[in-house]
Amino acid sequence: MKTIRGPEDLAINGSQPAFEQLLHVGRPNIGDRDAFMHYVGEIFDRRWLSNDGPLVKEFEARVAQHLGVKHCVAMCNGTIALEIAIRALGLEGEVIVPSYTFVATAHALQWQSITPVFADIDPATHTLSPAAVRKMITPRTTGIIGVHLWSRPAPVAELQEIADEHGLKLMFDAAHAFSCTHQGRMIGNFGACEVLSFHATKFFNSFEGGAIVTNDDELATKARLMRNFGFSGLDEVIHPGTNGKMIEIAAAMGLVNLESVDEVIAANRRNYEAYRAALEGVPGVRMVSYNDKERNNYQYVILEVGADCPVSRDRLVDILRAENIMARRYFWPGSHRMEPYRSLFPHAGLMLPATEAVAASVVVLPTGQTMDAAAIDTVVQVIRTAIRTRA
Ligand code: T4K
């Protein structure tokens, strides 16, 4: 890694990139490889590869125990889990969601001919603004999906109050919030149900995977039926369904990685604190912070580049990428500016000023097991030099 003293050391000015290999956001964390290979041996010996196998059952029990929730219904990914949750809750017509999230949240509705109605976020938290949600309720509204973005909880109590007042169902997209608490209680226990993602890029992964977690027995039973074509016995189908099953190899990865969740969180926290200390006082940029009184997974390191920053957000991303630091502009430009929503709701942006401003300011930096103090120091040197020299 090179030392960056001035603009001449930046790759955009012809110097060698700071990193030889690409430094990715979302680099997977991988637990004990020997333990994983042991599970693979067991799977092969048993010749039971999918369909509610023993490892999936064990994984579900362990996740439910970790979250203190009654049911965990494991799925092949978070998007299918969202789709099944939405269907199991009987949502239809219009459902209120943030635009500022990964597009899967809106797609899970649109895919089922339900209209996602985008409500604005609170620029301070990046999660749904309860006041904005109220404005978007119509006679066709049947539900609200809150998203715990960057693992920071959506305004759970306020959304529940709105839902109760208007007879709406409330569920949460908790894809970012595995192993986090809200007011001391594990996320996974709020709303009618919550949906997790165990995708490779999440701090806790099962290669691909997801789950619906809920304390509602009936909902859990329905979700179980739906993820397996509605089969209730060998020959009996009692419900419409799809194939949302988690496979054994994914459950094996999940079980192994569950063992190192605390270790990965500790690494993420170290990284987050190193970035925060090193970026303190840099003009025009602000790191999104976490509430230290809660349990956080620190899986995203988020920088907001303000209008007063001498270098624009997009220029900063280009400068970082030239150094092989593959920073991301999550979740730019907002779901409402992606198809099919851009064509369906061309004026949605008028109701989403905070979404547009936040989406235009965020840069996500690499973290996780593969980052160390020296790498973070170099990333920060690039940012500091770019801003100091108005590169
Ligand atoms: N709701 C929310 C709020 C979500 O954030 C997500 C997923 C979902 C729902 C849906 O859950 P899933 O159906 O995915 O379980 C990535 C992930 O694909 C997606 O899972 C995730 N959110 C989203 C935030 O990030 P992309 O389009 O950025 O993926 P991609 O291929 O550009 O990879 C991201 C980075 O990770 C790259 O820098 C490369 C690196 N990477 C990726 C993979 C797969 C690796 O280093 N190794 C890998 O194996 O969406």
Side-chain angles (χ1 to χ4, degrees):
M1 277 178 280
K2 64 181 178 183
T3 305
I4 298 149
R5 294 178 205 86
E8 66 284 0
D9 297 320
L10 293 175
I12 42 151
N13 293 327
S15 171
Q16 283 297 311
F19 295 92
E20 263 172 46
Q21 293 193 341
L22 299 184
L23 219 66
H24 285 289
V25 167
R27 208 85 180 124
N29 299 307
I30 299 172
D32 184 336
R33 293 177 190 211
D34 291 339
F36 176 73
M37 295 317 285
H38 182 77
Y39 275 126
V40 174
E42 279 184 13
I43 293 170
F44 287 168
D45 289 347
R46 262 195 304 270
R47 288 181 187 266
W48 196 275
L49 309 185
S50 183
N51 290 20
D52 220 8
L55 294 184
V56 167
K57 286 197 172 101
E58 190 181 335
F59 178 69
E60 291 183 332
R62 296 275 309 281
V63 168
Q65 187 189 27
H66 186 85
L67 302 181
V69 67
K70 216 163 161 192
H71 304 281
C72 166
V73 187
M75 308 261 175
C76 53
N77 60 56
T79 305
I80 292 285
L82 278 172
E83 287 174 15
I84 291 182
I86 287 163
R87 224 179 169 103
L89 283 175
L91 301 185
E92 55 185 10
E94 294 176 1
V95 172
I96 298 172
V97 285
S99 163
Y100 192 59
T101 170
F102 190 58
V103 73
T105 320
H107 275 357
L109 293 162
Q110 181 71 19
W111 193 252
Q112 311 192 65
S113 304
I114 301 167
T115 306
V117 173
F118 298 119
D120 210 3
I121 52 168
D122 176 343
T125 62
H126 298 188
T127 59
L128 272 179
S129 145
V133 169
R134 282 186 188 278
K135 282 190 202 148
M136 307 314 278
I137 296 173
T138 75
R140 295 191 70 227
T141 311
T142 60
I144 303 168
I145 305 180
V147 180
H148 305 307
L149 206 82
W150 314 135
S151 79
R152 299 195 304 180
V156 170
E158 292 91 332
L159 293 179
Q160 191 64 63
E161 198 181 307
I162 297 173
D164 293 345
E165 220 174 279
H166 294 266
L168 307 175
K169 300 268 172 57
L170 173 66
M171 59 174 270
F172 291 99
D173 176 338
H176 294 187
F178 183 70
S179 207
C180 298
T181 58
H182 171 55
Q183 294 177 346
R185 194 167 184 216
M186 276 287 194
I187 284 177
N189 287 280
F190 299 103
C193 66
E194 305 211 46
V195 169
L196 302 166
S197 165
F198 312 126
H199 182 258
T201 57
K202 298 289 181 277
F203 92 100
F204 165 67
N205 81 86
S206 64
F207 294 115
E208 285 265 6
I212 297 174
V213 284
T214 181
N215 290 309
D216 180 332
D217 299 344
E218 208 178 307
L219 192 64
T221 305
K222 225 184 220 181
R224 271 185 201 289
L225 282 169
M226 285 176 151
R227 80 162 176 194
N228 187 29
F229 315 100
F231 272 103
S232 81
L234 273 188
D235 306 310
E236 206 188 355
V237 173
I238 59 166
H239 208 282
T242 183
N243 184 353
K245 288 171 276 137
M246 177 178 265
I247 58 174
E248 286 290 273
I249 201 88
M253 184 69 157
L255 284 167
V256 167
N257 286 341
L258 206 48
E259 292 294 331
S260 49
V261 155
D262 287 338
E263 206 180 293
V264 175
I265 289 180
N268 282 349
R269 183 171 188 163
R270 267 198 307 277
N271 293 345
Y272 158 78
E273 276 167 2
Y275 272 118
R276 195 160 74 161
L279 285 165
E280 189 97 42
V282 177
V285 296
R286 186 183 75 90
M287 252 179 76
V288 163
S289 61
Y290 295 97
N291 178 355
D292 290 334
K293 295 198 182 84
E294 301 282 358
R295 180 178 161 94
N296 298 296
N297 61 33
Y298 301 94
Q299 73 174 314
Y300 291 104
V301 172
I302 320 290
L303 204 60
E304 284 183 281
V305 182
D308 57 331
C309 184
V311 177
S312 74
R313 188 278 301 265
D314 289 351
R315 177 70 176 155
L316 189 59
V317 169
D318 288 346
I319 291 168
L320 288 163
R321 288 180 158 240
E323 304 290 350
N324 286 339
I325 304 161
M326 308 310 281
R328 296 295 297 256
R329 294 182 292 191
Y330 287 144
F331 290 101
W332 187 78
S335 304
H336 69 289
R337 285 182 180 267
M338 295 175 173
E339 290 297 355
Y341 316 109
R342 172 168 68 196
S343 298
L344 289 171
F345 319 118
H347 306 300
L350 295 173
M351 296 294 284
L352 304 168
T355 299
E356 300 227 315
V358 170
S361 76
V362 159
V363 180
V364 183
L365 299 172
T367 185
Q369 268 179 338
T370 56
M371 288 294 287
D372 58 20
I376 290 171
D377 189 47
T378 304
V379 174
V380 171
Q381 280 180 39
V382 172
I383 295 170
R384 279 185 166 273
T385 305
I387 291 175
R388 180 168 47 80
T389 63
R390 298 170 181 268

